[in-house]
Amino acid sequence: MKKLINDTADVVTEALRGVELAHPQLRVDHQNKIVFRGDAPVRGKVGLISGGGSGHEPLHGGFVGPGMLDAACAGEVFTSPVPDQMLAATQGVDGGAGVLHIVKNYTGDVMNFEMAAELAAAEGVEVEAVVTDDDVAVQDSLYTAGRRGVGVTVLLEKIVGAAADEGRDLKAVAEVARKVDANGRSMGMALTSCTVPAAGKPTFDLPDDQMEIGIGIHGEPGRRRVPLAPAREVAEMLVEPILKDLDFTGGDGVLAFVNGMGATPLLELYLMYGEVAAILRKAGVRVVRSLVGPYITSLDMAGCSVTLLKMDDELVHLWDAPVNTPGLRWGA
Amino acid sequence: MKKLINDTADVVTEALRGVELAHPQLRVDHQNKIVFRGDAPVRGKVGLISGGGSGHEPLHGGFVGPGMLDAACAGEVFTSPVPDQMLAATQGVDGGAGVLHIVKNYTGDVMNFEMAAELAAAEGVEVEAVVTDDDVAVQDSLYTAGRRGVGVTVLLEKIVGAAADEGRDLKAVAEVARKVDANGRSMGMALTSCTVPAAGKPTFDLPDDQMEIGIGIHGEPGRRRVPLAPAREVAEMLVEPILKDLDFTGGDGVLAFVNGMGATPLLELYLMYGEVAAILRKAGVRVVRSLVGPYITSLDMAGCSVTLLKMDDELVHLWDAPVNTPGLRWGA
Amino acid sequence: MGETVGSAALGRWLRAFADAVSENADELTALDSAIGDADHGANMRRGMNAVVAKLDAAPDVAPAALLKTVGMTLVSTVGGASGPLYGTLFLRMGTSAGDRAELDAQAFAAALRAGLNGVVARGKAVLGDKTMVDALTPAVDALDAALTDGAGLSDALHAAATAADRGSDATIPLVARKGRASYLGARSAGHRDPGATSTALLVNTAAASLG
Amino acid sequence: MGETVGSAALGRWLRAFADAVSENADELTALDSAIGDADHGANMRRGMNAVVAKLDAAPDVAPAALLKTVGMTLVSTVGGASGPLYGTLFLRMGTSAGDRAELDAQAFAAALRAGLNGVVARGKAVLGDKTMVDALTPAVDALDAALTDGAGLSDALHAAATAADRGSDATIPLVARKGRASYLGARSAGHRDPGATSTALLVNTAAASLG
Ligand SMILES: Nc1ncnc2c1ncn2[C@@H]1O[C@H](COP(=O)(O)OP(=O)(O)O)[C@@H](O)[C@H]1O
Ligand SMILES: Nc1ncnc2c1ncn2[C@@H]1O[C@H](COP(=O)(O)OP(=O)(O)O)[C@@H](O)[C@H]1O
Ligand SMILES: [Mg+2]
Ligand SMILES: [Mg+2]
Ligand SMILES: [Mg+2]
Ligand SMILES: [Mg+2]
C-alpha cells in the first residue's frame, strides 16, 4: 500500500489537523472529529450538518463555510461517524432555528444519524433529516436498503446552504433539500479499486482490461464488470441509465456534474465532460450549469461519476449564490 | 493502461472541448489549442499567457480568467506547445500594454517561447518573458538546464495576474513575476509513476516498497529512490532541502503550498500539510497563507510536492486579490 | 462458571469476544471487502478494544450497568451499521437485566432475545436478509428451546453457538436485502455475511465463557 | 541518385527518415522514458508525419523552399526541445541552400554544417553534453573530412553515418548537461540519448537515400 500517511489508525485525526492549519476560518473539534465554520453557531440561521465516513474529500469537511455546511462530522475511513459526534455538531451549529441533518443513504449513516436525532430532540434541539439516494446503479425497492447517496449530496449541500443563508426556516430548507434529492440522479464507474488504509490492500480485484460500472463511493461493486471501453462508451453507460430513470428534457435545463473518484486526473474528467455534454445534447437535455472535478471521491480509486440535477429558477438562483468553503467557492 | 480517453492522439483536443463546454466564460481556439478568457484582449491591461505540455491540469488552462492568465497554450501531453500557438495567444491577449510570457524552465518550453517572442516582436507586440525555476531537487548550475519550474508557477500566475489587474505596466508586472520566482522553492516526490497516454505504460518502474524523492512533474526521475516512509519523514525529505536552499525565517512569513501530483487524494494531502506545518513551526518559519490540493499535476502520478514562497505585504495583498478561474477562485 | 451470569462472567465473555474479534478482524474485513466496504473487522475491533478499556476502568458494576456501558461504548466508537446494531443489542440486554445481580439461564436468554428485538427494531431486517439477524435469531431460538427442554445454561449456549454458526453458513447463498451488500443484488450470493460471522463469534464466546 | 542533391532526392531522404522514425518511435520513447519524459518518439513521429504530408501536397519546390517548409513544419508540430532544434536545423539548411536547384556535395555539407550551427545557437549545447549535438557534430565533421579526402557524396555520407552512430553510442556513458536528462545528474549515465539516436537515424537515411 502506497500512501502518504503515518499510522493507519491516525489517518483521519492527522488529516483534520492539516485541515485546521490550512483553513484558519474553520474550527476543528478534534475530540469529536468535527469541522465547524469558525463563526458557528450563526444566530437565527438554520444549521446544516452532514458527515459520513472519511475518504470522500472534499466531501464533507471541505464544504463547511458560509453558504454551505455549518459543520461536518468525520467518521473513520468509509465508516459512518457515531451519534456522539453528530449530537455535538448539532448542538454546536444550533443558532435557534433548528438543524438539518444531511445524510447519505447508507444503513450505517442513517441509523447513526437517527440515534443522534433522537438524542438531539431529547436535548431540545429541533432537527430535520434529509436522506440523499440518487445512485441509479442500485435497484430501488422497499425491500432493500434503497439507493445510495452519492453525487447529488454535493449539489444539495451547496443549494441548501444558500437557502439557509437566505433565512428560510427549517421546514422550508428541508423542503429544498428534498426537492434537490428528488430531481437528481447519479451513476459511477471505476477503473481501479481503492485501498482502505486499515485494510492495506485493494478492496476488490479489477483485471487490467476490465472496469466496474455502477460502483459505489466505498468501492462497493457495481452493476456489472465489463471490458475497458473508450470514454465515449463509458459516458453512454453512465448517462443512459440516468436518463432512463428520470426525464431530464424540457423544463429549465440541468446541472451536469462529472465527478472524479480520486485518482483520475482533471484532463480525463474534462474529456469525459465533453462526451457527457455531447450525449445530453443529442438527447435534448439542455445544460445550464456544470461542475467538473473530484468533489465526492473514494480514496485513491480511479474512475468517475455523472450526476444530473433538474434545475428550475429557484435552484439556479441558489446554486449561483455566494459560497466560501475550501472545496467550492465563488462570489465570496 | 486504464484511462478515461478515446484515441490517445485526441486526448488534449477532446479535453479542451470539455473545458469549453464546462466553462462558458472561457473561449477555446481549438486549432491552436489555446484557452482564452472570453473577454480577451482586455484593453490597456498587460496580457498574461502561459502554456506547456498538457497533463498538469488545472495548470495552465484552469488558471485562465480575471485575476490570473489571459490565455494558456496546451501542448501535447508533457510536450511544450509550439511557437505558432504562443504567437496566436500573444496576439489574442495583447490589449496594447504588452504581453508577459510565463515559462516553466524546461529546455523545450524555453526554446519554443523564445521563438514565439521573436515572432511576436516581429509583429510589433511588446513581449517580456519570465522563467520559473524553483525545483530544489535539481542542481542549479550554469552548465546544466538549470532548475525545473514547478509549484511556484501556480502561485506566480495568481500573484502576477493580480498585479496586471491593478493596471501595472509590463516592466512592473515582470518584476513582480521575477520577485515571486526568486522567493519560491519547491520539492516533489512520487509514490507511483504516471502513464503518458501515447506511451501506454508507466514512465518508470517503482517497486511497491520504494518512492522517488525529487521527482519532476513529467515523471523525470528525482534525486534518489528510497524505501517507503511515514508521511512525517516524507515531509522532512521535502521541506529540509527547501529550507537549506533559502532562508524562510523572519520577514513577513511564507505561503505554504502542498500540491497533489494527480492520483493522491485530498485526505493524504491535508495529512501532509499538517506534517509540513509542524516542521515549519519547529524551524521558526511562520505560515501566513496556504494552499492544499492538486494544482500542478503529473497525470495519474501519486505523490506530492511542497512549495514555500516568502511573502511580503505586496505579495500577500496580490495573493488575496479576487480571482475567477476554474482552478482558483475567490472574491469573485 | 455456574448456572447464573454475573458481571464477572459477562466481563469474561466480552473479553473473549474482543479477543475473537481481534484474531478474526482480517477475515471479517475480507468478507466485508467481497460484499461491502472492507471495514467490518476494523470497526468491531475498534469497538471491542474500547469496551475492554471500559471494563478495565470500571469492573465492579451490576450486569445492567455493565451491559449498558458496553452498548453505549459500541454506539460511540464503532460507527457504520454495526455500531448502532451491536450497541442496541447490548443496551436492550441491559434494560432486560433490570436490577438483577446475577442472571439465571432464563433471564440471560430473555436478555439476549430483547437484544435481538432491538436489532430488528433498529435495522428492520428480517430472517433471510443476509445480516447478523440470520445468526442471532436461530441462536436465541436454540437457546430458548434447549432451556425449555431442560438443558443447563452451558449446554443451551453450545446449542445456540451451533445454531449461530449454521445461521452464518446459511447466509452464504442468500441475496442481501439489507445493508451495503444489498447494492450488489444477485452478486451478493455466494459470500458469507460479515455481521453474521461476527455474531457467530459472539455466541460462540458466550458458550465458551458462560454457564 | 547522383553526385548532387535536388528536391526529389531531399524528398526521398525525408520520407526515409520519416519511415525510420516511425519504425523506431517506440525505441526512441523508451530511451526518453529512462532519462526524460517518454515522448521523443511520439514527438518526432508527429513532426515527420506532418512533413511527409507537406511533401505530398507541394512536391515541386526548390531545395531552399523545401528545407524551410520542413523546418517550419517541425517547429509548428513537434514542440518540446526537439521541435525548435530539428526545426532550426532544416531552416538553416534552407538558408544555406540559397537559390541552388541542385546541391553538390560541398553545398550539401555546408548546409548540414549550417544546420548544426543553428542547433548549437538555439540549444547552447556543446559536445559531450549528451544531446543530439553529440551525433550531429561528428557526422558533419566526418562528411567534411571525407569530401576533403576526395570521397564521393555517397561514401562521405556513409562515413558520416558511421560517425553519427558512434557519436550516439558515445552518449551512453555521459552525464547529461542539457535538456531534461540533465535533471538526473549522475543517474543519466548509462543511457543512450534519445535525440542523438534520432539524429543518427537522420544521417543514416541520408547515406541510404542521397549521393
Ligand atoms: N439493516 C440491518 N439489520 C441488521 N444487520 C445489518 C443491517 N445492515 C447491515 N447489517 C449488518 O452489518 C454488517 C456490516 O457492518 P459494518 O461493515 O461494520 O458496517 P458498514 O456496512 O456500515 O460498513 C453486515 O454484514 C450486516 O450483518
Ligand atoms: N539544449 C539542447 N541542445 C541540443 N539538444 C538538446 C538540448 N536539449 C535537449 N536536446 C535533445 O532533445 C532530446 C529530447 O527531445 P524531446 O524528448 O522530443 O523533447 P523534450 O525533452 O522537450 O521532451 C534530447 O534527447 C536531446 O538530444
Ligand atoms: Mg463502513
Ligand atoms: Mg516532452
Ligand atoms: Mg462495512
Ligand atoms: Mg522528451
Side-chain angles (χ1 to χ4, degrees), chain B residues 252-269:
Chain B
D252 295 333
V254 308
L255 188 161
F257 170 25
V258 170
N259 173 61
M261 287 299 191
T264 285
L266 215 43
L267 186 73
E268 295 175 40
L269 295 180

Side-chain angles (χ1 to χ4, degrees), chain B residues 76-80 109 218, chain D residues 32 36-40 43 79-81 180:
Chain B
E76 288 303 314
V77 171
F78 290 176
T79 300
S80 162
D109 294 64
H218 308 88
Chain D
D32 200 27
D37 60 350
D39 64 359
H40 188 59
N43 290 347
R180 226 173 262 289

